[in-house]
Amino acid sequence: MDFLQIFLAVSGVIVFFGILTYNKLVKLRQLVREGWSGIDVQLKRRADLIPNLLETVKGYVTHERETLQAVTEARAAVQSAGDASPQERGKLESMLSGALGRLFAVAEDYPDLKADSSFIEFQEALQQVEDEIQLSRRYYNGTVRNLNVTVESFPSNIVANMFNFTQEEYFELENELDRAVPDVSF
């Protein structure tokens, strides 16, 4: 074997590796986009449930205008987010989750509302959507992790840098209550 054959063989292996790595990065980027789309669908489903829920609650809750207003404003902020980054979207969704939590806490003071079949149906539908959001978030964050590891790892980071593949943001809902250390006393 002469030098030219060795050079061509090594060049061929490098090109083949580059093509495989590029295709892997493209696949991972598409999975991240698919994951984000799944989250977006679930968040839209939740936002679409809220007006009907508020109409049901308004009939019973006459002195809780601040709570109803907070839910309405948080929903409007979420809907206007459009193409916001996952981090920005997470903050807005956390505000909405907090406002909904306060709404359900207020509903506890109204036995007739808690017994209303429409309210119960909306509450169950909202819980189902929340579960779907969690599943979608896990899928999305898993695909982001896979892409980010590939973008950062050697030697795939060389191909990623050549073709401008960048790391993606995780989607986290900011809920201080989830991170709080529980107070346990005996």
Side-chain angles (χ1 to χ4, degrees), residues 1-17:
M1 266 190 165
D2 64 352
F3 178 74
L4 181 60
Q5 289 175 328
I6 293 172
F7 176 76
L8 289 175
V10 169
S11 297
V13 168
I14 291 172
V15 167
F16 183 71
F17 169 77

Side-chain angles (χ1 to χ4, degrees), residues 52-87:
N52 294 329
L53 175 66
L54 289 177
E55 286 302 316
T56 301
V57 171
K58 279 181 187 177
Y60 292 96
V61 182
T62 57
H63 304 292
E64 307 293 345
R65 292 286 170 216
E66 291 176 13
T67 304
L68 296 173
Q69 187 65 29
V71 172
T72 302
E73 289 172 2
R75 179 180 179 267
V78 163
Q79 288 189 309
S80 67
D83 292 333
S85 72
Q87 184 178 16

Side-chain angles (χ1 to χ4, degrees), residues 14-38:
I14 291 172
V15 167
F16 183 71
F17 169 77
I19 291 170
L20 286 178
T21 303
Y22 177 82
N23 288 338
K24 180 179 180 180
L25 287 163
V26 168
K27 177 183 175 186
L28 291 171
R29 183 173 56 194
Q30 292 303 316
L31 288 173
V32 167
R33 289 177 180 165
E34 174 192 21
W36 183 252
S37 174

